[in-house]
Amino acid sequence: MRVLALAGRRLAASIPTLFLILIGVFLLLQLAPGDTVDAMMAQMGGGDAATAKQLREFYGLDLSVGAQLANYLWRLVRFDLGFSAIYGKPVATVILERLPATILLMTASLSFAFFFGIVFGVLAARRVNRWQDTLISTLGLIFYAMPTFWFGLMAIVVFAIRLQWLPAGGFEDITVSRSGLSRTLDIARHLLLPTLTLGLFYLAIYLRIMRGSMLEVLNLDFVRTARAKGLDETRVVVKHVLRNALLPMVTLIGLQAGTMLGGSVVVESVFSLPGLGRLAYESVVQRDLNTLLGIVFMSALLVIIVNFIVDLLYARLDPRITTGS
Amino acid sequence: MKPILTLESVSVSLPEGADRPHAMEEVSLSVAAGEILCVVGESGSGKSMTANAIMRLLPQGVTIAAGRILFEGRDLAGISEAEMRKVRGAGIAMIFQEPMTALNPLRSIGDQIGEMFETHTRLSRAEIGARVLALLAEVNIPEPEKAAKAYPHELSGGQRQRAMIAMALALDPRLLIADEPTTALDVTTQAQILTLIRDLQRRKGTAVLFITHDFGVVAEIADRVAVMSQGRVVETGSADAVLNAPQHAYTRQLIAAVPPLKAPPPRPLASEPILTMAHVSKTYRTGGFLGRGQRVTHAVKDVSLVLPRGATLGIVGESGSGKSTLARCLVRLIDPDGGEIRLNGRDLAGLTRAEMRAETRNIQMVFQDPFASLNPRRKAGELVAQGLIVHGMARSQALARAAELFALVGLDPAATDRYPHEFSGGQRQRIGLARALALEPDVLVADEPVSALDVSVQAQVLALLAELRQRLGISIVFITHDLRVAAQVCDLVAVMKNGEVVETGPIGQVFGQPQHPYTKALLASIPGQGFGLSRDLAAAAGQA
């Protein structure tokens, strides 16, 4: 299969990139003052220099930067992400505990933004320069311009505090133990506001791209051919315009998988969700190098996987790619 | 014969702020079954607008202001949109100029043809599939099963246009509107498509409204002709009457502007060469991973040609023949892989980038598309002066020289302050010429310089080129796909096919007694040979 070969080659090409990113982050964190042991001592309320020295030896922090990096990479090659001094658990365990919340939030926001981006984009393009278009475009601009954290806070004030419809934060209600459907519903209730908060920003981007892309495709010759065949406007849009207009949107998903992870740091903090984004923030503050590198590794992996899927999807959507002409 | 379609004083108004209030003014036409009516005109004449008005596919803001469009006795201008959709495709079908963009790139050919049946009939999926294959076979596409599954990019230009025709004829429409269906095709493909349209039309008795700018095509295919200018029909009549005894001054002027196919008597040529190409080659390698599965294209293969001082060497061929690649190699926009290009004895192929930049003084290029080849953000005068400034002339002096050059190419010297979009197509090509001439080169490489222009403008630019050649003594390499144009401007001609020169010699000899089968095929494909001939004879008689 040509498509798989193509995507596979891309996948192979991303491995060196992955290592470069890890080395870069590793070295960058060496520039920050203090290390894990300093953070631990501060948490413990101070301690003498001898204890600190002992701890540093224990965690291998007394070695040179080069040696530490080599150690880390060697462990990574054996799929060992190391041990988190702060959480007292292997990094892999810490990350796996936090991963579901982030993946759930990202998938939900992305699907929400993508779906409604298409719907509103098509609506705006069909009614270009009329009041519907103006309304949609203005709303899009507002969502785009509004800071995510502010929107999240306002959503909490209105829906959680004033109206008390939805919980203000957390991943699920920990006071009651639930299972099955009721647990799913509970998580959904908790994730509704975070998803909207994160998704609205991306919705604005997708709707703008979709609107522009629709308008461009509507002007192409084959749309005129379709009309000359006697198709009605709905069929022209569904059968001829939509798939062509979707191509730039699909490209955008691949590009935005990475930025969305960054956006989730803010949203997870605002809604106190136990996700990767907040974990990353905490490990920077606590100088938990192993955990941070683990997160970077994990998120790079996520982005690579998303892009791999996008490549396959793109080849499926556009027959011109498979033949390589 | 009772006409199938009649236009009665149809006017189409343009939105406010357009350059004229009406795109069509009181246009009256009629087409009968089994008849081909050619609507001829230059760009902006309203001929395509006529097609769009009949189909009621007008751009936003453009409306049918007056008149009736009677199709089988029904006024299309008055019926509802839903009624109109039933007419489109089933009653009146349409084919377009560019088959690549007129087909949806993401759907297979069979799927797109089948859509005609899906929209207008209640046939089952299997029946539709069978009909599609029958249609593809009818338009002589090789391997219909494979073509039905193919996507548009997998077919050649001619096959795509055949597929478009199959699609248009799917429901046996009473009227076929063909909007410049062969303009984007090579001359040999064009001849095949014209034959196909003619055959199908004869067999099915379809009425055809054929829109074109090419009088050769008109002579080839038309039963009757309507000539349009500025949104009005200025003359209608039988093909024979309009082509051979045009009544209206505009028609006469248009027909006179079509270059005759016969070359004028040869000019004496200098024996001293100014540009010699020896074994020039350019190969493209695409795809492949570490050398596996690589595709090699010989764009230019071992070309050796000589351009004598003051002469014009025509390079003719169809798309993909390598003629443009060769032109780009001459000015080193593309680096040739091998061979020598000697200009005044100096080998251009061996020069470094910096040396070549200095050498561009002596060899300059004129490009095909006068719209795309001028930077829209810079003033016309600056564009012309740029080369001079780069080669070390002071800015004010260069701008003054640009004004002189404007006068030389027949533009108003005061127009140097204007931007490219303020000029017409012909004027822009004059700017392109002025830009190329600014450095007073010995050799001008003109890549399809008149292909994008209307026939009357084309005649003016060709006349200018001939005059400049006379006055400045420059030598020209003239790349074209239009053999009529080549016959008029070239002293020598080289016919290219698949990167190779198959025949070369003085133009009168090559066009008069072609030796290579490909040259013969090319010449035989030119539409409307008879039309050119009778007029050429008349002109010759007039001269005698």
Side-chain angles (χ1 to χ4, degrees):
Chain A
M1 268 278 292
R2 255 197 93 94
V3 192
L4 277 179
L6 199 83
R9 210 177 307 154
R10 286 262 201 104
L11 209 60
S14 49
I15 289 175
T17 321
L18 186 57
F19 274 92
L20 279 179
I21 293 173
L22 286 174
I23 294 170
V25 174
F26 186 94
L27 295 178
L28 204 64
L29 267 167
Q30 299 299 326
L31 295 178
D35 58 12
T36 315
V37 174
D38 288 328
M40 284 170 80
M41 302 288 275
Q43 261 182 7
M44 290 188 286
D48 56 25
T51 326
K53 191 166 177 292
Q54 248 179 338
L55 277 171
R56 286 212 167 86
E57 261 169 48
F58 179 73
Y59 290 120
L61 293 174
D62 53 342
L63 299 171
S64 71
V65 174
Q68 283 185 50
L69 179 60
N71 270 343
Y72 184 76
L73 291 180
W74 174 233
R75 267 185 285 134
L76 200 64
V77 171
R78 291 171 295 161
F79 292 103
D80 176 8
L81 290 177
F83 192 84
S84 162
I86 301 289
Y87 295 94
K89 288 186 256 192
V91 170
T93 318
V94 178
I95 290 179
L96 281 182
E97 280 171 5
R98 301 292 197 102
L99 198 58
T102 299
I103 293 211
L104 213 56
L105 177 64
M106 268 178 65
T107 329
S109 310
L110 207 61
S111 318
F112 164 76
F114 193 70
F115 179 75
F116 285 98
I118 290 175
V119 171
F120 288 123
V122 170
L123 272 179
R126 289 289 300 277
R127 299 270 180 277
V128 67
N129 293 336
R130 293 206 229 145
W131 66 266
Q132 295 97 327
D133 177 31
T134 317
L135 180 72
I136 291 174
S137 298
T138 313
L139 276 179
L141 193 66
I142 292 174
F143 295 150
Y144 189 72
M146 201 151 47
T148 317
F149 75 90
W150 186 83
F151 188 77
L153 290 175
M154 288 307 113
I156 291 176
V157 167
V158 175
F159 292 103
I161 299 175
R162 283 283 164 80
L163 299 171
Q164 303 215 332
W165 288 351
L166 293 164
F171 184 64
E172 57 189 316
D173 196 346
I174 43 169
T175 54
V176 223
S177 77
R178 300 166 200 258
S179 60
L181 187 66
S182 82
R183 180 164 184 242
T184 314
L185 282 176
D186 184 48
I187 293 177
R189 256 166 58 81
H190 279 85
L191 279 184
L192 193 60
L193 285 183
T195 303
L196 282 181
T197 308
L198 185 58
L200 277 178
F201 174 77
Y202 291 94
L203 168 72
I205 298 176
Y206 284 130
L207 108 81
R208 281 173 153 205
I209 299 288
M210 191 64 193
R211 177 179 175 272
S213 160
M214 279 282 292
L215 288 178
E216 206 182 304
V217 176
L218 275 169
N219 272 325
L220 294 180
D221 285 353
F222 62 80
V223 175
R224 190 178 49 166
T225 309
R227 289 196 180 122
K229 279 162 138 180
L231 269 64
D232 56 52
E233 271 310 293
T234 315
R235 285 177 83 159
V236 168
V237 169
V238 174
K239 297 205 131 184
H240 289 274
V241 183
L242 214 52
R243 199 159 141 200
N244 279 283
L246 272 180
L247 295 178
M249 295 279 280
V250 174
T251 313
L252 207 62
I253 290 192
L255 288 173
Q256 281 183 339
T259 43
M260 200 162 223
L261 216 63
S264 69
V265 176
V266 175
V267 174
E268 281 168 13
S269 304
V270 171
F271 289 96
S272 45
L273 284 172
L276 269 192
R278 225 173 93 211
L279 185 66
Y281 171 73
E282 283 160 8
S283 22
V284 172
V285 172
Q286 297 175 324
R287 302 287 184 272
D288 189 352
L289 188 57
N290 276 349
T291 308
L292 187 64
L293 285 173
I295 294 168
V296 170
F297 181 72
M298 213 47 223
S299 41
L301 222 54
L302 261 180
V303 172
I304 288 170
I305 290 169
V306 170
N307 275 292
F308 182 72
I309 296 172
V310 164
D311 275 354
L312 292 182
L313 199 65
Y314 212 92
R316 179 90 191 75
L317 278 175
D318 192 341
R320 284 167 294 188
I321 288 178
T322 33
T323 51
S325 58
Chain B
M1 225 184 313
K2 193 169 163 282
I4 285 190
L5 176 84
T6 313
L7 270 65
E8 288 177 359
S9 329
V10 175
S11 293
V12 167
S13 59
L14 290 170
E16 270 176 61
D19 59 341
R20 59 179 202 235
H22 293 284
M24 287 165 63
E25 266 185 283
E26 310 208 334
V27 169
S28 297
L29 294 171
S30 70
V31 204
E35 181 185 56
I36 298 182
L37 171 74
C38 271
V39 177
V40 211
E42 299 190 289
S43 49
S45 64
K47 58 187 193 302
S48 283
M49 202 57 100
T50 308
N52 292 337
I54 296 168
M55 289 296 260
R56 290 234 325 243
L57 290 172
L58 293 165
Q60 260 196 345
V62 182
T63 49
I64 299 173
R68 298 203 299 164
I69 300 170
L70 293 174
F71 174 68
E72 296 186 306
R74 206 152 49 128
D75 183 10
L76 297 184
I79 62 176
S80 72
E81 185 59 31
E83 287 286 304
M84 191 62 219
R85 276 201 295 270
K86 286 186 192 152
V87 174
R88 288 185 200 133
I92 309 177
M94 203 165 170
I95 49 180
F96 301 95
Q97 173 169 351
E98 181 49 84
M100 181 72 226
T101 55
L103 288 165
N104 187 338
L106 306 186
R107 292 180 60 188
S108 70
I109 298 285
D111 190 17
Q112 295 189 54
I113 298 175
E115 199 174 27
M116 276 292 209
F117 297 109
E118 281 166 31
T119 314
H120 295 282
T121 67
R122 292 176 177 278
L123 292 179
S124 72
R125 203 166 265 278
E127 267 177 278
I128 292 178
R131 292 274 196 107
V132 167
L133 291 185
L135 279 167
L136 286 171
E138 200 172 358
V139 294
N140 305 328
I141 284 191
E143 301 182 75
E145 287 89 3
K146 233 171 126 187
K149 288 198 193 86
Y151 289 95
H153 70 276
E154 293 167 329
L155 299 182
S156 71
Q159 286 176 342
R160 280 196 284 264
Q161 197 58 293
R162 281 172 196 272
M164 276 299 286
I165 294 172
M167 185 157 86
L169 295 178
L171 299 165
D172 286 323
R174 304 278 287 143
L175 173 70
L176 174 69
I177 300 178
D179 190 356
E180 304 253 12
T182 58
T183 307
L185 303 176
D186 280 326
V187 59
T188 47
T189 318
Q190 163 170 298
Q192 291 163 10
I193 295 288
L194 288 178
T195 317
L196 176 71
I197 293 179
R198 172 128 240 170
D199 282 354
L200 289 171
Q201 176 259 348
R202 283 286 129 88
R203 201 151 13 114
K204 297 180 181 247
T206 319
V208 177
L209 185 77
F210 195 106
I211 292 163
T212 183
H213 68 282
D214 187 337
F215 272 96
V217 172
V218 175
E220 191 75 33
I221 201 168
D223 295 316
R224 287 198 308 124
V225 182
V227 183
M228 284 190 78
S229 166
Q230 300 276 322
R232 287 175 175 278
V233 174
V234 296
E235 183 165 356
T236 43
S238 72
D240 187 47
V242 173
L243 291 174
N244 296 319
Q247 298 301 309
H248 195 274
Y250 178 73
T251 318
R252 277 193 215 140
Q253 182 199 329
L254 267 188
I255 290 179
V258 179
L261 192 50
K262 200 170 170 344
R267 299 187 304 154
L269 295 179
S271 54
E272 172 206 3
I274 184 153
L275 181 74
T276 48
M277 297 158 235
H279 312 290
V280 176
S281 294
K282 175 73 195 173
T283 310
Y284 288 108
R285 289 161 211 282
T286 48
F289 181 54
L290 299 175
R292 275 183 297 126
Q294 206 175 46
R295 273 187 298 179
V296 178
T297 316
H298 296 283
V300 176
K301 206 160 140 193
D302 195 24
V303 168
S304 300
L305 291 168
V306 178
L307 172 67
R309 189 176 287 277
T312 301
L313 167 67
I315 297 175
V316 299
E318 298 187 291
S319 54
S321 64
K323 55 190 195 303
S324 279
T325 309
L326 179 62
R328 273 149 212 260
C329 282
L330 291 181
V331 290
R332 284 275 304 272
L333 285 174
I334 295 174
D335 289 326
D337 295 332
E340 280 183 359
I341 299 165
R342 289 202 175 272
L343 176 68
N344 288 323
R346 195 168 180 205
D347 183 14
L348 300 183
L351 296 183
T352 64
R353 289 253 152 243
E355 285 171 333
M356 186 61 213
R357 268 202 296 280
E359 195 62 30
T360 51
R361 257 183 181 291
N362 301 322
I363 184 161
Q364 278 290 322
M365 191 153 176
V366 182
F367 296 93
Q368 169 173 3
D369 190 341
F371 296 89
S373 60
L374 296 173
N375 183 345
R377 305 264 182 273
R378 305 198 65 164
K379 288 175 183 167
E382 289 177 20
L383 289 169
V384 173
Q386 211 169 25
L388 292 167
I389 296 170
V390 167
H391 283 270
M393 193 182 270
R395 192 182 155 79
S396 56
Q397 207 184 341
L399 284 173
R401 178 85 186 107
E404 284 173 41
L405 284 159
F406 262 56
L408 179 74
V409 296
L411 290 170
D412 179 7
T416 48
D417 273 345
R418 284 156 56 183
Y419 287 93
H421 72 265
E422 296 174 66
F423 295 89
S424 70
Q427 286 173 326
R428 279 187 236 198
Q429 203 53 300
R430 284 169 195 265
I431 298 174
L433 263 174
R435 188 194 53 72
L437 292 173
L439 292 164
E440 297 169 20
D442 298 327
V443 175
L444 202 61
V445 179
D447 186 3
E448 302 266 13
V450 294
S451 306
L453 305 176
D454 277 327
V455 54
S456 55
V457 182
Q458 169 179 311
Q460 292 164 14
V461 173
L462 289 178
L464 171 69
L465 214 54
E467 185 197 325
L468 290 173
R469 184 176 64 180
Q470 206 73 33
R471 205 143 41 121
L472 309 174
I474 45 175
S475 321
I476 303 174
V477 177
F478 194 96
I479 317 279
T480 184
H481 70 281
D482 188 334
L483 302 179
R484 286 175 184 274
V485 169
Q488 291 320 297
V489 289
C490 303
D491 301 307
L492 300 166
V493 69
V495 182
M496 280 188 81
K497 190 190 186 215
N498 295 337
E500 285 176 290
V501 172
V502 296
E503 185 163 2
T504 176
I507 188 109
Q509 193 186 320
V510 173
F511 281 19
Q513 294 105 33
Q515 300 301 315
H516 194 277
Y518 180 68
T519 318
K520 287 181 190 162
L522 263 189
L523 288 165
S525 303
I526 300 173
Q529 313 220 351
F531 149 66
L533 218 63
S534 62
R535 192 193 38 167
D536 297 350
L537 290 176
Q543 274 172 4

